[in-house]
Structure formats: C-alpha cells, structure tokens
Amino acid sequence: MPQLTKTFPIKARDFIRAGEVSIQIQGLLKTIGFEPALIRRVSICAYESEMNVVMHGGDGTLTLNVDPSVILIEVKDDGPGIENIELAFQEGYSTASKEYREMGFGAGMGLPNIKKSADTVEIRSQKGGGTYLKMCFLLSRGDGQGTGK
C-alpha cells in the first residue's frame, strides 16, 4: 500500500465548494483499494469536519495521512473555537445560525457522527483560539483493508 499525505485548504463560508474535500478523499481511498465500509467511515468524518470549518471555523486545512497501519485526518482552523466541547459532542446540540439552519445544516450531528465513525477522536479548542481535530482509523490487518465498523 502506498503512503500518502495530502493537505486540502478549506475556506470559511464557501458553500459552493463545501464537500469537495471529502469527495476527493473518497476518491483517493477508492484508488488505493480500501474496502467500502472503511471509505464510508472516513468520508463521513471528512465531510462533517469540513462542513464545521466552512460554517464555524474560519479558514482551515484538512490533512489526510495514510500509512500501512492507520488513516489519520487532522483538521485545523482559525475560527472562534468551541466554547463547550462536551456539549458540542451531544447529539442535537448546535450553534448553527438561523441562516445555516435554513440551508439544511445545523442538526447538531457533526461531532457525534465523527465520534461514531472514527476509531479515536482528539479535539483541542479554546474560545478565540481555533480548533484542532484529529481522527484515526485503524487498519486492523495492516494491508489497507481496514476494520469496517
């Protein structure tokens, strides 16, 4: 399996391109040959974290790292930060604006979906200091096929 590292920029409030990063990641993982269940889990996390940056995070980056034992996604943004991380992980909790809710976003499922889909999740954030999110997907057999969940 080839090792891969790729960083994608994400622009705040760019709803025209929102979702493109997760589509590119899905394509890369298909090309490498990962099983569909693992690609689905990684794509869900990439999409949810990408949308959080677009809606709440200011500009940011998403970095995909693939090696023989793990798929790692790191997302960094320079947004306002998350005031209460524990609340942000509760299903249905949302700080989305009325504008975003009218667009169909803001159901409060972004971080809960990430927690369900990734093997491990690490998040660091502080008010006014941006957010760092790290998601790991373990490849159980070391052959790139992944665990599926």
Side-chain angles (χ1 to χ4, degrees):
M1 176 184 53
Q3 293 193 353
L4 170 74
T5 298
K6 186 164 175 85
T7 298
F8 304 88
I10 303 171
K11 295 290 291 178
R13 300 185 54 83
D14 185 357
F15 287 94
I16 301 297
R17 292 187 175 83
E20 288 183 359
V21 171
S22 57
I23 291 170
Q24 289 180 49
I25 288 172
Q26 185 179 44
L28 288 168
L29 297 178
K30 282 181 182 177
T31 299
I32 293 171
F34 288 108
E35 66 183 38
L38 178 62
I39 293 172
R40 181 177 182 276
R41 292 172 46 218
V42 174
S43 297
I44 288 169
C45 291
Y47 176 78
E48 296 287 7
S49 58
E50 180 183 2
M51 292 310 298
N52 279 339
V53 173
V54 170
M55 291 190 294
H56 307 290
D59 292 340
T61 59
L62 185 152
T63 300
L64 170 70
N65 284 294
V66 178
D67 74 28
S69 63
V70 68
I71 296 173
L72 176 67
I73 295 178
E74 294 178 287
V75 182
K76 300 174 188 173
D77 71 55
D78 59 0
I82 299 171
E83 195 166 319
N84 186 327
I85 291 174
E86 187 175 327
L87 268 179
F89 274 99
Q90 289 184 6
E91 291 186 12
Y93 178 79
S94 176
T95 58
S97 67
K98 180 181 177 187
E99 174 191 12
Y100 295 154
R101 290 176 188 266
E102 288 174 353
M103 294 168 69
F105 299 107
M109 294 304 296
L111 288 174
N113 281 339
I114 288 170
K115 189 175 180 180
K116 288 178 187 173
S117 299
D119 290 313
T120 64
V121 176
E122 175 187 334
I123 189 167
R124 293 189 301 252
S125 186
Q126 63 183 49
K127 192 171 182 176
T131 299
Y132 169 82
L133 175 64
K134 178 179 170 182
M135 298 157 279
C136 293
F137 305 87
L138 303 174
L139 306 177
S140 62
R141 293 179 282 184
D143 61 359
Q145 297 303 303
T147 58
K149 251 188 177 177

